């Protein structure tokens, strides 16, 4: 138990929480506007690959991070066009994009690095003399900004309006499609940033390295009742569960059993909380503007 109460364990938990937190906050933006974004898994994976490739070929981590964000936004843009403009089923679009991202990253990994499984090694972020990675501080700032934007700004009010009652929002002169596009694109940017952190933290891109984190991020958002602070708390819970698995890998308990704990926790928590969580009224419903 003493091993679990150390600063190292706490920092490890926070570090592991980052790739859950960023896409989960992105999902809040998307679903508050009424668009279900299951494509977060593919966005996370694409962001990781683009960040690894950008960092490797430029030697600059910041450029790599920007590449990750742009890649996430491009996947999100496709999801926006398909679901908001064409009004296709949002679940089907998200799943299709996840499969597309899985194949696309393997394809370009083979072309750029000569292997479809992993990239070349890339440098990590400097700690700048701090006891923790400065990326953690950035995530806390993003969390605060997200809460402020959603609940204290005009854009946040409009986003929530189009997610709850798009017809009423439209009658007040709000461009529902534009607001929804912005919500999904922000979710893509945050998901891509989460993917960039994955690649930089592990010093390379590995095939399928998102490992279901995009889906768990969505679950965390639901557990957090579509609230940024609630989603962050749920992500911290999953980060803690994964940190436990790393801590007990050499304890003699079968590795497969330990590795399934975060996913079992997801099912247990969802089963306990989903009945009490209410999504935005128009979440997942395409908007048809009446002339």
């Amino acid at each position: 138990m003493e091993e679990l109460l150390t600063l190292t364990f706490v920092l490890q938990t926070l570090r592991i929480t980052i790739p859950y937190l960023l896409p989960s906050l992105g999902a809040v933006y998307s679903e508050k506007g009424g668009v279900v974004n299951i494509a977060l898994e593919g966005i996370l994976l694409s962001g990781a690959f683009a960040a690894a490739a950008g960092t490797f070929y430029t030697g600059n981590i910041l450029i790599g991070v920007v590449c990750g964000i742009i890649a996430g936004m491009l996947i999100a843009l496709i999801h926006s066009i398909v679901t908001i403009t064409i009004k296709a089923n949002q679940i089907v679009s998200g799943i299709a994009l996840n499969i597309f991202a899985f194949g696309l990253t393997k394809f370009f990994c083979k072309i750029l690095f000569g292997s479809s499984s992993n990239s070349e090694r890339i440098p990590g972020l400097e700690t700048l003399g701090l006891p923790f990675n400065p990326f953690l501080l950035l995530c806390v700032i993003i969390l605060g900004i997200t809460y402020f934007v959603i609940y204290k700004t005009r854009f946040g009010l409009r986003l929530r309006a189009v997610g709850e009652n798009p017809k009423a929002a439209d009658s007040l002169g709000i461009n529902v499609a534009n607001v929804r596009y912005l919500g999904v694109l922000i979710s893509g940017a945050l998901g891509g940033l989460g993917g960039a952190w994955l690649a930089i933290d592990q010093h390379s891109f590995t095939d399928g390295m998102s490992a279901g984190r995009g889906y768990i991020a969505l679950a965390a958002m639901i557990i957090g009742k579509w609230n940024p602070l609630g989603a962050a708390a749920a992500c911290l819970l999953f980060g803690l569960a994964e940190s436990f698995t790393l801590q007990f890998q050499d304890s003699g308990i079968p590795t497969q059993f330990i590795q399934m704990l975060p996913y079992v926790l997801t099912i247990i928590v969802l089963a306990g909380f989903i009945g009490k969580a209410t999504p935005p009224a128009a979440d997942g419903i395409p908007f048809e503007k009446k002339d």
Side-chain angles (χ1 to χ4, degrees), residues 6-252:
T6 62
L7 178 61
T8 303
F9 180 78
V10 173
L11 292 177
Q12 174 181 270
T13 300
L14 293 175
R15 180 177 58 79
I16 291 173
T17 300
I18 291 176
Y20 294 116
L21 174 64
L22 291 173
S24 188
L25 293 179
V28 172
Y29 279 102
S30 179
E31 298 219 6
K32 280 289 187 185
V35 179
V36 177
N37 192 359
I38 287 182
L40 279 172
E41 179 72 10
I43 289 172
L44 202 62
L45 192 62
S46 302
F49 174 77
T55 302
F56 179 76
Y57 280 100
T58 65
N60 189 312
I61 292 178
L62 289 180
I63 294 178
V65 170
V66 172
C67 290
I69 293 172
I70 292 173
M73 292 182 75
L74 287 175
I75 298 292
L77 179 62
I78 297 173
H79 188 56
S80 302
I81 294 170
V82 171
T83 60
I84 300 172
T85 302
I86 302 177
K87 299 179 177 57
N89 184 284
Q90 297 174 7
I91 305 297
V92 174
S93 171
I95 293 173
L97 284 172
N98 289 339
I99 297 171
F100 171 69
F102 184 74
L104 191 71
T105 51
K106 282 177 74 76
F107 175 72
F108 279 107
C109 195
K110 178 69 176 177
I111 290 177
L112 297 181
F113 300 107
S115 167
S116 59
S117 300
N118 56 273
S119 70
E120 299 288 344
R121 184 176 175 81
I122 60 173
L125 280 174
E126 298 290 338
T127 60
L128 304 175
L130 298 170
F132 54 86
N133 196 298
F135 207 90
L136 282 173
L137 186 59
L138 176 63
C139 290
V140 174
I141 294 172
I142 291 174
L143 173 60
I145 290 175
T146 297
Y147 184 85
F148 181 80
V149 168
I150 295 289
Y151 295 108
K152 304 293 181 183
T153 66
R154 176 180 293 183
F155 169 70
L157 180 62
R158 291 184 173 188
L159 188 69
R160 286 182 284 137
V162 302
E164 291 291 344
N165 193 332
K167 290 182 180 177
D170 181 63
S171 68
L172 294 173
I174 297 173
N175 190 316
V176 175
N178 284 353
V179 174
R180 285 187 167 181
Y181 260 89
L182 273 175
V184 178
L185 289 176
I186 293 172
S187 78
L190 290 176
L193 184 61
W197 165 256
L198 263 182
I200 292 169
D201 185 49
Q202 299 183 22
H203 297 278
S204 67
F205 169 80
T206 306
D207 182 34
M209 69 187 306
S210 52
R213 289 182 176 87
Y215 298 118
I216 294 179
L218 274 174
M221 178 209 62
I222 295 171
I223 294 166
K225 298 182 180 179
W226 288 262
N227 182 300
L229 300 180
C235 288
L236 190 61
L237 179 66
F238 291 120
L240 185 66
E242 190 171 330
S243 195
F244 272 124
T245 65
L246 296 175
Q247 200 73 23
F248 289 111
Q249 271 188 346
D250 298 325
S251 63

